[in-house]
């Protein structure tokens, strides 16, 4: 819009300049005195006139013995002499005047009769339109209509936006897979000669924040080709038919720019299993999806357009998308392991001044389960907090504090507990921590605190020492006890329950149900899963669980869930009663200091 306005002004100024020049051409510098025909007739009779030049109906009159000129107009229909005679000019005097009749000269005639009224405005309009078209073509993000794809385009010349594999830490296998695509985009000839078909579609699959979008951009950076980036949700809009029109437009655009990459982010927004809709709204999504399938079938392999797509829900994608010839290549991206985490931290800390004591390896050790986005966020939070304290460098403490901030939300120091509440919160957290520390298969306690953070009134932070990919039944059972530790500590000490344990109980129930229904960890019900979860379009979450078992089994499930929780509760209660003195000690320390770090906590446990 801004550019449009600018161009409009440029054209306006041009217009004024041009018309200025022409009007100057038309008017000689010493403007003649305008006289009427009657006056002119008088002057002729007086013998003052030397010469009259007739140009159309304009008369240029030069006087004898004078440099001044006069101008006049004759009547249109009649000739000059005739007109003058009508005004009573003496014919003898008129003969002494030199009369010079000029054809309306060529270019002036054209100028005044054709160019000014017709050609110039047309040319200006054309110019204006041309400017607008050019804008629209350049138009990353600038559109006329709904049906233009909303794809953002990153051209290889745009160095600021360029991303390369060096900006992506870890993800080695994924990079290797995509190297092939890069190679193809760089030198397609090599593949075509040997008759190889490069996949048209590559699907990047991984949990949120693991770097799918980043990696896709890096591929275009490495191959040095244009990158069309659009998010699945942008296809879908209120107007029917718009989504598929956008797909068509996007693919057309891409073909013009080949070799290039089309990246459809969050494919699951349009690529869900068809026919799983709620109400009528899914029709539009289906149309869009169909159009993508049609376009992908429509272009030949090796025409230089590679479609990348990303999703974190491959399970709900329409199977037609995964057929050969479409997204038949799948690249899995995992959450980073400890080495990757260190590398990611390094990448994001690169342009930030760090104190020499900063040890990114230690941060990586403390952040299992963090995604790349979490780590990027962590480094950013650390530098924000350093800046707010007017430090010139980011300290190790800033980074460590940010771990919890990213994990649990910011501290809510203003959330002040009354003395009674503080006591309850302290025993609650001490209960979690004590049970966790007393059981052999739980993650070590890193920190216990009764400072409110995010949603939680207090928290016990446990983190595994190494990255874990599998979890055993024993671990889960102990985890249930830890979750119930807060509840039973309150019950034991105050003989009362507060609402503070509500969230723990939800988690406990959920975990116990998963043990029975998902993981086959119940002895009685054996190795099978119960209930088929189906996704509801738009709500995105699993909200319906289809019951694929009998009422009788439902009762068994309930009793098994109950048994798991009951056993876990007994174990927790046993620990808490046996180690009551230790519980008091931890709780008192919490009331006093509000936060206990790992080392201090371990000392308390020993003592
Ligand atoms: P996704 O698309 O998988 O949800 P993104 O690619 O948008 O995740 O990642 C979000 C941000 O996290 C990136 O912009 C980047 O700063 C950071 N990030 C994620 N993974 C990595 C990685 N492997 N290396 C470097 N930075 C990463
Ligand atoms: Mg993304
Ligand atoms: Zn709790």
């Amino acid at each position: 819009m801004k550019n449009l306005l600018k161009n409009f002004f440029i054209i306006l100024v041009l217009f004024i300049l041009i018309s200025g020049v022409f009007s100057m051409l038309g008017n000689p510098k010493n403007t003649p005195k305008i006289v009427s025909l009657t006056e002119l007739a008088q002057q002729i009779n007086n013998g003052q006139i030397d010469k009259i030049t007739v140009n159309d109906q304009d008369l240029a009159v030069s006087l004898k013995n004078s440099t001044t000129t006069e101008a006049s107009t004759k009547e249109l229909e009649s000739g000059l002499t005739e007109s003058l005679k009508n005004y009573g000019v003496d014919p003898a005097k008129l003969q002494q005047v030199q009369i010079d009749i000029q054809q309306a000269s060529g270019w002036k005639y054209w100028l005044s009769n054709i160019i000014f009224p017709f050609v110039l405005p047309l040319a200006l309009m054309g110019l204006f339109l041309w400017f607008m078209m050019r804008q629209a073509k350049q138009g990353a993000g600038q559109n006329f209509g709904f049906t233009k794809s909303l794809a953002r385009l990153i051209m290889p010349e745009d160095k600021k936006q360029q991303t390369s594999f060096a900006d992506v830490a870890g993800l080695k296998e994924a990079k290797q897979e995509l190297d092939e695509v890069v190679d193809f985009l760089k030198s397609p000839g090599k593949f075509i000669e040997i008759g190889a078909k490069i996949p048209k579609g590559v699907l990047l699959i991984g949990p949120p924040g693991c770097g799918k979008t980043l990696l896709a951009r890096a591929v275009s950076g490495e191959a040095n080709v244009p990158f069309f980036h659009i998010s699945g949700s942008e296809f879908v809009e209120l107007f029917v038919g718009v989504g598929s029109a956008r797909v068509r437009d996007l693919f057309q655009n891409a073909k013009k720019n080949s070799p290039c990459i089309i990246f459809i982010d969050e494919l699951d927004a349009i690529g869900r299993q068809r026919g799983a809709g709620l109400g009528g709204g899914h029709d539009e999504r289906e149309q869009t999806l169909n159009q993508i399938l049609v376009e992908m079938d429509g272009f030949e392999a090796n025409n230089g357009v590679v479609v990348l797509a990303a999703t974190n829900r491959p399970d709900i994608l329409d199977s037609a998308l995964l057929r050969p010839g479409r997204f038949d290549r799948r690249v899995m991206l995992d959450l980073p392991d400890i080495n990757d985490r260190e590398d990611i931290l390094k990448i994001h800390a690169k342009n930030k001044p760090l104190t020499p004591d900063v040890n990114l390896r230690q941060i990586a050790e403390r952040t299992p389960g963090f995604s790349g986005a979490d780590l990027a966020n962590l480094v950013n939070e650390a530098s924000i907090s350093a800046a707010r304290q007017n430090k010139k460098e980011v300290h190790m403490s800033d980074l460590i504090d940010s771990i919890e901030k990213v994990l649990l939300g910011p501290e809510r120091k203003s959330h002040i507990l009354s003395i009674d509440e503080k006591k309850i919160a302290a025993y609650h957290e001490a209960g979690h921590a004590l049970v966790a520390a007393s059981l052999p298969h739980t993650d070590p306690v890193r920190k216990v605190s009764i400072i409110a953070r995010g949603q939680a009134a207090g928290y016990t932070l446990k983190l595994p020492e190494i990255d874990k990919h599998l979890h055993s039944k024993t671990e889960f059972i102990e985890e249930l006890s830890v979750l119930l530790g807060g509840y039973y500590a309150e019950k034991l000490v105050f003989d009362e329950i507060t609402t503070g344990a509500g969230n723990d109980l939800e988690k406990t129930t959920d975990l116990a149900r998963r043990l029975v229904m998902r993981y086959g960890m119940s002895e009685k019900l054996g190795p099978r899963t119960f209930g088929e979860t189906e996704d509801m379009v738009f709500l995105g979450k699993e909200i319906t669980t289809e019951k694929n078992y009998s009422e009788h089994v439902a009762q068994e499930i309930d009793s098994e869930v109950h048994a798991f929780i009951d056993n876990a509760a007994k174990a927790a209660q046993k620990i808490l009663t046996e180690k009551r003195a230790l519980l008091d000690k931890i709780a008192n320390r919490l009331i006093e200091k509000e936060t206990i770090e790992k080392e201090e906590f371990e000392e308390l446990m020993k003592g």
Side-chain angles (χ1 to χ4, degrees), residues 428-429 432 504:
H428 181 104
E429 294 309 325
H432 284 307
D504 292 336

Side-chain angles (χ1 to χ4, degrees), residues 463-475:
L463 286 174
E465 263 159 349
I466 46 165
D467 298 326
K468 276 191 192 157
H469 303 288
L470 295 174
H471 298 272
S472 65
K473 184 174 163 184
T474 319
E475 278 170 12

